[in-house]
Amino acid sequence: MKLFLFSVSLFLRLCAEIKLRDNLETAEKIETLWSEYLFEEGIIPKGYAGLPDNLIISNLHQEGYIDGLYVGYILSMIALVDNDAPKDLILSIRNDIRPNLIENHYNYRQEFIDKYKSDNYYWVEKVRCSDNDSE
């Protein structure tokens, strides 16, 4: 899929080099026709038809990002339950995470990474399993 979208972007850049993009109307028509074709082929969702390639790619990044966040949330909940975490803790974590799943944007993911690497959280990745078992 990424290779396919890369090919589309490359095609549009080549169009720019041969002066098709000098005419804004022509460029917009090409982008609209292309995204409509992608929809007709079932490659992109209906709401993406007619979007320029940069917005299609951005939206696909966002969808994948939200899907990843949701799977991470599910895996966390499963791990908590499987490790017999207290029900109050599980529900507290659920209530903190769930509302934030949709509100986050792919372009701002580095904020989470930086926060997790801060002094408050760095220890989580530093503790070895064997260290945790002895506590």
Side-chain angles (χ1 to χ4, degrees), residues 4-72:
F4 183 72
L5 290 174
F6 173 76
S7 300
V8 172
S9 294
L10 183 59
F11 170 74
L12 291 174
R13 282 188 223 126
L14 289 173
C15 288
E17 289 180 22
I18 58 173
K19 306 294 183 206
L20 280 177
R21 284 212 175 250
D22 286 345
N23 182 338
L24 183 59
E25 187 177 323
T26 302
E28 289 173 351
K29 179 78 171 170
I30 290 170
E31 289 179 334
T32 299
L33 289 172
W34 181 245
S35 63
E36 287 173 1
Y37 171 76
L38 293 175
F39 164 67
E40 289 170 6
E41 293 297 313
I43 297 171
I44 61 173
K46 181 179 183 177
Y48 292 8
L51 290 177
D53 63 331
N54 63 325
L55 290 179
I56 291 172
I57 292 168
S58 178
N59 284 328
L60 291 173
H61 277 304
Q62 181 64 15
E63 276 188 21
Y65 180 66
I66 294 296
D67 288 347
L69 284 176
Y70 188 68
V71 169

Side-chain angles (χ1 to χ4, degrees), residues 85-102:
K87 189 175 184 176
D88 290 345
L89 177 62
I90 295 170
L91 296 176
S92 173
I93 292 169
R94 180 201 67 188
N95 294 341
D96 283 348
I97 294 175
R98 194 187 306 171
N100 294 312
L101 290 175
I102 301 299

Side-chain angles (χ1 to χ4, degrees), residues 111-122 124-125:
E111 291 176 27
F112 286 122
I113 295 167
D114 292 343
K115 184 174 182 177
Y116 189 63
K117 289 181 178 180
S118 73
D119 291 342
N120 289 339
Y121 307 101
Y122 79 94
V124 173
E125 296 299 323

